[in-house]
Amino acid sequence: MPPIRVLIVDDEVLVRSGLGLIVGSAPDLEVVGGCSGGQAEQQTVDLRPQVVLLDIRMPDLDGISVLRRLRALPDPPAVAMLTTFDTDEYIGTALRAGAAGFLLKDTAPEQLVHAVRVLAAGGSMLSPTVARTVINGYVEGGGPDADAAALARQLTSRELDVLALLGEGLSNAEIADRLYLGTGTVKDHISAILAKLGAANRVQAAVVAHRAGLVRSQGNPGA
């Protein structure tokens, strides 16, 4: 199999170099380029990366604007947003704009490599240390939402079980283990869930799970 092509977009050369060394150390990954926000769209068109690691905060062209341009391309790459903060105020906007992941710049090397592989395979990825912060911040503002509840009613009982565990931030393997299912079956359920919810990725599906009241509150086990 040809290596997974990765583009790194960050205004700081040292950050691009460091991330490039980590990603490029994996035999199945290839860093095809690095640039700041202003060159990202053209670099993506020219180099055709499968995955873009994109800084969410850049002075010349911010990451949200770049993300929207990349998602508008005919064959858009999977985009993971990079930040040094685990409570970035732009997280919700980025996820709504179609970001497939959110990673801290100090993510452990093995987790970063794994994240790129997951993104290239069509999955979504959140740094484990910020997954719950991201989702909680994205859904902040109240209890169950009627629109989300209506979307959830389209799902079968088993799909609701899977969606609730997605909302907890579990991986496919963890969901399979919890529900005594095969990972292939879980993947099929997730594909059906995304289609029924009109969600671009599992992160957006997880948000629906929270808004629909399917995920128990951390502070109240009986919720």
Side-chain angles (χ1 to χ4, degrees):
M1 293 289 291
I4 297 167
R5 298 168 63 80
V6 182
L7 175 67
I8 300 173
V9 181
D10 195 293
D11 61 300
E12 297 184 27
V13 176
L14 286 177
V15 172
R16 294 202 304 263
S17 298
L19 293 173
L21 286 173
I22 293 170
V23 173
S25 67
D28 58 331
L29 308 182
E30 177 187 5
V31 178
V32 296
C35 62
S36 60
Q39 295 81 46
E41 184 178 7
Q42 191 59 53
Q43 289 277 291
T44 299
V45 171
D46 293 343
L47 300 174
R48 302 183 67 182
Q50 294 152 275
V51 175
V52 174
L53 302 179
L54 173 62
D55 187 13
I56 204 167
R57 295 170 179 262
M58 293 180 289
D60 60 339
L61 185 64
D62 68 90
I64 301 298
S65 298
V66 173
L67 171 64
R68 288 176 174 143
R69 293 184 182 187
L70 298 187
R71 295 300 300 167
L73 293 173
D75 186 20
V79 180
M81 309 305 294
L82 299 170
T83 184
T84 54
F85 306 100
D86 64 356
T87 56
D88 198 297
E89 64 265 31
Y90 298 117
I91 292 169
T93 303
L95 294 176
R96 282 188 291 270
F102 176 82
L103 302 168
L104 293 179
K105 289 183 181 179
D106 63 356
T107 295
E110 64 275 12
Q111 291 176 351
L112 179 61
V113 168
H114 174 66
V116 171
R117 292 172 179 148
V118 170
L119 292 164
S124 300
M125 197 73 189
L126 298 177
S127 289
T129 56
V130 297
R132 192 163 297 280
T133 301
V134 170
I135 292 174
N136 287 349
Y138 194 18
V139 302
E140 185 177 359
D145 176 273
D147 291 337
L151 285 173
R153 283 196 292 272
Q154 303 177 72
L155 307 181
T156 66
S157 60
R158 180 55 84 191
E159 288 167 354
L160 286 171
D161 292 338
V162 173
L163 179 59
L165 295 179
L166 270 182
E168 292 184 22
L170 271 61
S171 68
N172 287 2
E174 290 168 332
I175 294 172
D177 183 62
R178 186 80 66 87
L179 298 178
Y180 304 102
L181 298 172
T183 54
T185 301
V186 171
K187 288 180 66 175
D188 290 342
H189 281 313
I190 291 174
S191 295
I193 289 167
L194 296 183
K196 291 179 180 180
L197 298 182
N201 53 51
R202 63 194 293 136
V203 178
Q204 292 184 359
V207 170
V208 173
H210 278 261
R211 288 197 180 279
L214 298 176
V215 182
R216 291 184 176 183
S217 168
Q218 287 288 85
N220 181 7

